[in-house]
Amino acid sequence: MAALTTNKSILDWIDEKAALVKPDQIVWIDGSQEQLEALRAEAVATGEMIKLNQEKLPGCYLHRTNPNDVARVEDRTFICSKTKENAGPTNNWCDPEEMYAKLYDIARDSYKGRTMYVIPFSMGPIGSPLAKVGVEITDSIYVVLNMDIMTRVGKEVMDVLGDSNDWVRCFHAKCDIDPEKRYICQFPEDNAIISVNSGYGGNVLLGKKCFALRIASYQGWKEGWMAEHMLILGLENPQGEVKYIAAAFPSACGKTNLAMLIPPAYLKEKGYKVWTIGDDIAWMRIGKDGRLYAINPENGFFGVAPGTNAKSNFNALESTKKNTIFTNVLHNLEDNTVWWEGLNKDLPTNANDWIGRPWDPSKFDKADKSTYGANPNSRFTAPAVNCPCISPEFDKGEGVPISAIVFGGRRAKCAPLVYQSKSWENGVFIGSAMASETTAAAAGAVGVVRRDPMAMLPFCGYHMADYFQHWLDMGEKLGDKAPKIFNVNWFRTDDEGNFIWPGFGDNMRVLNWIIDRCEGKADATETAIGYVPKPEDIDLTDLDMDIETLKDILTVDKETWEKEAAEIEEHYKKFGDKLPEELRTQLANLKANLAK
Ligand code: OXD
Ligand code: MN
C-alpha cells in the first residue's frame, strides 16, 4: 500500500523499524470508514474483539487484554533522557543507547507473520496551532481502532505536517505480552516513544499518556507552554457567559465525572450548564491577549467503567452507547451487551467475567476483587462527539481561555472542601504538594497516600523541580492575566469513614464559588493555607446538609496542617538543591502562618 506521505524523516523511520521487526506487510491507516470496518471484521474473525448487540450498542465491541496486562505499569515506565539528572528523582531512568539496544533486541523479528499498521495522528484539532503530530506503528488492530477514537487519524494529518521533522515517533510491539519484558519508554530529546510487551490502553495508545503528557510536558518546557493532567470544562451562567476551568486530580479521583457534571436541578432551572472540553489532558499556551488558552489534545474518552452509571455520570454513560470499545468489562450473554460493578443493581445471571470465564453473581463479594465481573480498571473508549455536553469549542483549534486552575486529591482529613491560593506562586506550591490515595488505575498497592505534584507524578517527562520552575516562569509571563489557582477536596470523611460532601453534580456549588472569586464577586476568609469560603457563600439550596456540617469541612485544623507542612518538607527533600527557592519560601510562609 502506498505511503500517505513523502516526508523523508517518516519514511526512513518506518523502513528502519520494518527492517527490525520484519512484518509480513505494512498498512497505512488513512482514516477511512471502509478500512476501519474491514479491520473490525478482521478482529472479530480472529477473536481479538467481540461484536456486541448492534441494536442496543451500535458500532460497539468488547476486547479482553491478557490478565497480566490490565493497567499502566509505572515501575516499567522509563524516561530515557541523555542524563539521569534530566529525568529527575521521580522517574525511572535508563541511558537511551542502552535502552534502545535492549528494546530493539526484544522487538526484533516480532512482527513476523503480522501486519505493521502505520497510524498518522494529530493530538488536537488537525492544523490547530496548539496541536502536534505523531505517527504510531503497531502490530495491534485494537490499538489502531482505539487510536482512531482517541486521536484524529488519517491522511489529512500528513498533509498538514508536510516535510516537517516535528512529529513524535511512537513505536509499539505486542511481542509476547511478557510482563518481565514489558517496557514503556520515552526518549524526550528524540521525540520518541517505544512500548513493548503490552496491549493495555495506557501503555499502548501512545498518543495519550506517553506523548500528550510525558513527551509533551518536555516539549512544553522547551517551547514555553504547558501539558497537564487536567480536565477542561466550561461553566455557562444564565446570561449565557461561559468561563473555563482546568482541573488536575490524580488518576481515578473523578476527573471524568467533574468534566461532565450535571448541575443540581435548581441551578439547571436557572439556566446553568456545564460543557465538556476534555476529561484527562490539557495543552495550554499563552494567547495573543496574554491569557492562558487550553485545548484537549484527545478526541475521545478512555474512561474507567466501574462506578459509571446514569447517576454518577449520565453523560459518560451516554457517550458509550455507540461506536465504543469496551475493555475488560463483563460480557452479558443474555443480550450480548456489557456490564460492570456499579452500572446498576441487575447482576447478570448469564455472563462471562472480564477474563472470559463464566461468572457466578451469587459469589459476588464487594470486598473480594477476584469475584468481580469487570476488572476494577476496565475501560470504555468512547468518541468525544457522543458526549451530550461536549462543548461547541471542543473541535476549534484556538482553545478556550482558562479562568481558574483547580487542584485536588483524595485526602480524607486535611484539605478543606475548597480554598483559593494567595497568589500564583502559592498555587504552584499547593500543586507541588498535592497528595492522594492510590487507586486501581495503576498497577500496585491500592489505598496508600502518595504525593502527586499537579497529578503529574507518573507523567512528567523531565526533572520535576524544573517542572515546578516552569510553572513559576509561566506565572511570571502571565502576570495579572494568570488564572486563579484553587484546591478542592471532595473526599473529606467523618469518623465512620463516610464522605461528608455529596460530590458529583453538587460539586457545581463549589465551581460557582470559584468563578465568583475569579470575578471578584465572592468574599472569603484568609487562613494560614489560603482563602476559604464564607460558609454562607456556598449555596446549599435543596441539599440535605446544614451549615454546621459545611463549616466543618471548611475548617483548617492547625495540628493537621503542621503535620502536613512537615510531610511537605520531607517530600521536598527528594528534589535537593534543584527545588525552586520560591517553593521553600512558600513552605516557610505556611509554617509561619500556622504558628501565628
Ligand atoms: C488515566 C490515568 O487517565 O491513569 O487512565 O490517569
Ligand atoms: Mn489520567
Side-chain angles (χ1 to χ4, degrees):
M1 178 188 181
L4 294 181
T5 181
T6 53
N7 183 314
K8 192 164 176 321
S9 61
I10 295 180
L11 297 178
D12 286 352
W13 177 73
I14 291 170
D15 281 350
E16 189 191 298
K17 293 298 169 290
L20 176 78
V21 297
K22 301 201 180 63
D24 281 10
Q25 55 170 344
I26 299 178
V27 171
W28 280 77
I29 301 301
D30 60 15
S32 71
Q33 277 316 308
E34 300 74 55
Q35 186 186 40
L36 294 166
E37 201 47 47
L39 288 173
R40 287 180 198 114
E42 186 179 334
V44 170
T46 59
E48 190 176 345
M49 295 203 308
I50 294 168
K51 192 172 192 165
L52 295 165
N53 183 327
Q54 295 297 296
E55 260 145 54
K56 292 190 173 169
L57 295 167
C60 293
Y61 293 80
L62 167 64
H63 172 79
R64 297 190 186 109
T65 64
N66 188 308
N68 78 31
D69 186 29
V70 296
R72 289 187 290 100
V73 278
E74 288 171 18
D75 57 329
R76 310 203 64 93
T77 299
F78 287 77
I79 300 296
C80 305
S81 39
K82 295 215 163 67
T83 65
K84 187 172 184 348
E85 171 80 357
N86 283 355
T90 57
N91 284 310
N92 299 313
W93 175 84
C94 179
D95 173 72
E97 293 316 316
E98 200 180 302
M99 191 53 105
Y100 279 129
K102 183 184 325 224
L103 297 175
Y104 291 161
D105 271 349
I106 291 172
R108 186 165 292 116
D109 297 342
S110 72
Y111 278 38
K112 274 190 176 162
R114 301 179 185 180
T115 299
M116 173 186 279
Y117 299 101
V118 182
I119 315 168
F121 65 95
S122 174
M123 297 311 291
I126 297 173
S128 156
L130 286 87
K132 291 252 178 203
V133 167
V135 180
E136 177 159 353
I137 53 182
T138 178
D139 52 346
S140 160
I141 295 179
Y142 171 76
V143 168
V144 172
L145 297 174
N146 275 271
M147 285 294 284
D148 173 61
I149 297 172
M150 294 305 296
T151 74
R152 282 108 172 150
V153 165
K155 175 155 188 339
E156 225 191 316
V157 178
M158 293 289 86
D159 295 345
V160 163
L161 184 72
D163 286 333
S164 166
N165 192 25
D166 183 12
W167 57 279
V168 177
R169 291 120 178 95
C170 305
F171 171 27
H172 168 240
K174 282 190 291 196
C175 304
D176 309 312
I177 314 288
D178 178 352
E180 302 300 324
K181 293 188 187 155
R182 184 168 299 151
Y183 290 97
I184 318 299
C185 298
Q186 286 67 207
F187 302 82
E189 290 112 340
D190 298 342
N191 257 351
I193 302 160
I194 301 179
S195 161
V196 293
N197 276 300
S198 176
Y200 166 78
N203 299 330
V204 298
L205 308 179
L206 300 184
K208 192 176 178 66
K209 302 297 190 181
C210 303
F211 176 173
L213 288 175
R214 296 194 190 101
I215 295 288
S217 60
Y218 175 84
Q219 293 175 327
W221 176 42
K222 294 289 164 186
E223 298 167 10
W225 54 282
M226 305 168 93
E228 299 297 333
H229 192 198
M230 290 180 177
L231 67 91
I232 311 164
L233 65 80
L235 210 151
E236 183 174 332
N237 68 15
Q239 291 74 48
E241 296 157 350
V242 186
K243 303 281 181 218
Y244 294 93
I245 295 177
F249 303 96
S251 303
C253 280
K255 284 217 310 292
T256 305
N257 291 348
L258 187 64
M260 299 178 189
L261 170 158
I262 295 180
Y266 85 98
L267 286 174
K268 243 193 328 200
E269 279 157 26
K270 283 190 192 168
Y272 283 93
K273 280 195 193 105
V274 166
W275 298 105
T276 305
I277 302 268
D279 77 329
D280 197 37
I281 300 175
W283 284 2
M284 304 191 286
R285 269 180 206 264
I286 300 176
K288 287 197 186 72
D289 62 359
R291 297 186 66 191
L292 192 62
Y293 283 78
I295 61 162
N296 171 11
E298 302 193 277
N299 200 25
F301 309 116
F302 185 62
V304 177
T308 305
N309 59 54
K311 193 160 164 279
S312 69
N313 195 338
F314 172 83
N315 289 313
L317 191 62
E318 280 302 296
S319 306
T320 67
K321 297 268 167 82
K322 61 181 184 208
N323 304 329
T324 292
I325 300 173
F326 297 94
T327 303
N328 294 339
V329 298
L330 175 141
H331 188 197
N332 188 348
L333 300 171
E334 208 56 56
D335 59 353
N336 190 23
T337 57
V338 290
W339 186 86
W340 49 79
E341 279 68 23
L343 175 63
N344 53 41
K345 298 235 151 56
D346 313 326
L347 273 55
T349 50
N350 177 15
N352 285 336
D353 71 3
W354 66 275
I355 302 181
R357 303 168 302 196
W359 187 64
D360 184 350
S362 69
K363 299 225 170 74
F364 176 70
D365 171 5
K366 197 160 183 236
D368 178 0
K369 294 229 154 70
S370 75
T371 68
Y372 283 27
N375 184 281
N377 192 35
S378 54
R379 299 279 175 148
F380 53 80
T381 317
V385 289
N386 285 1
C387 181
C389 58
I390 194 75
S391 164
E393 301 294 318
F394 168 74
D395 249 334
K396 295 193 187 151
E398 311 91 83
V400 293
I402 299 298
S403 297
I405 288 175
V406 178
F407 295 125
R410 236 173 222 280
R411 290 205 63 211
K413 294 295 168 199
C414 186
L417 177 64
V418 57
Y419 63 105
Q420 181 184 358
S421 71
K422 298 189 181 188
S423 62
W424 177 273
E425 294 76 14
N426 182 232
V428 176
F429 167 72
I430 291 169
S432 76
M434 255 169 74
S436 197
E437 288 165 19
T438 51
T439 71
V446 172
V448 179
V449 171
R450 74 166 180 177
R451 297 275 153 194
D452 189 350
M454 282 83 171
M456 284 289 277
L457 185 66
F459 306 120
C460 183
Y462 60 107
H463 198 300
M464 200 117 213
D466 286 328
Y467 169 77
F468 296 154
Q469 186 59 52
H470 181 46
W471 264 82
L472 294 166
D473 294 344
M474 288 299 291
E476 198 151 310
K477 282 190 208 150
L478 285 158
D480 61 4
K481 302 230 169 75
K484 303 280 184 272
I485 301 182
F486 297 80
N487 192 87
V488 298
N489 180 19
W490 318 133
F491 301 100
R492 250 165 88 159
T493 53
D494 61 20
D495 293 340
E496 279 85 53
N498 304 307
F499 295 123
I500 301 171
W501 180 249
F504 300 104
D506 290 309
N507 292 336
M508 178 85 175
R509 301 165 194 268
V510 173
L511 299 186
N512 274 347
W513 182 78
I514 286 175
I515 293 300
D516 282 350
R517 282 297 290 173
C518 292
E519 300 191 328
K521 289 185 191 154
D523 208 350
T525 305
E526 184 167 355
T527 71
I529 63 168
Y531 300 106
V532 172
K534 303 258 182 218
E536 61 274 19
D537 287 338
I538 300 283
D539 191 342
L540 295 182
T541 304
D542 290 349
L543 204 60
D544 185 20
M545 176 179 280
D546 57 37
I547 193 120
E548 291 310 312
T549 311
L550 177 65
K551 275 185 196 157
D552 223 43
I553 53 174
L554 290 174
T555 51
V556 177
D557 180 65
K558 185 166 182 276
E559 230 168 85
T560 309
W561 275 92
E562 275 165 355
K563 200 166 148 263
E564 180 73 1
E567 281 175 23
I568 295 170
E569 185 153 25
E570 207 44 46
H571 158 65
Y572 273 179
K573 282 191 183 147
K574 269 202 286 298
F575 306 107
D577 292 345
K578 245 183 174 262
L579 186 81
E581 202 44 46
E582 176 62 44
L583 295 184
R584 275 186 223 289
T585 305
Q586 289 290 334
L587 177 59
N589 290 349
L590 172 64
K591 285 188 184 165
N593 291 341
L594 288 164
K596 267 182 206 161

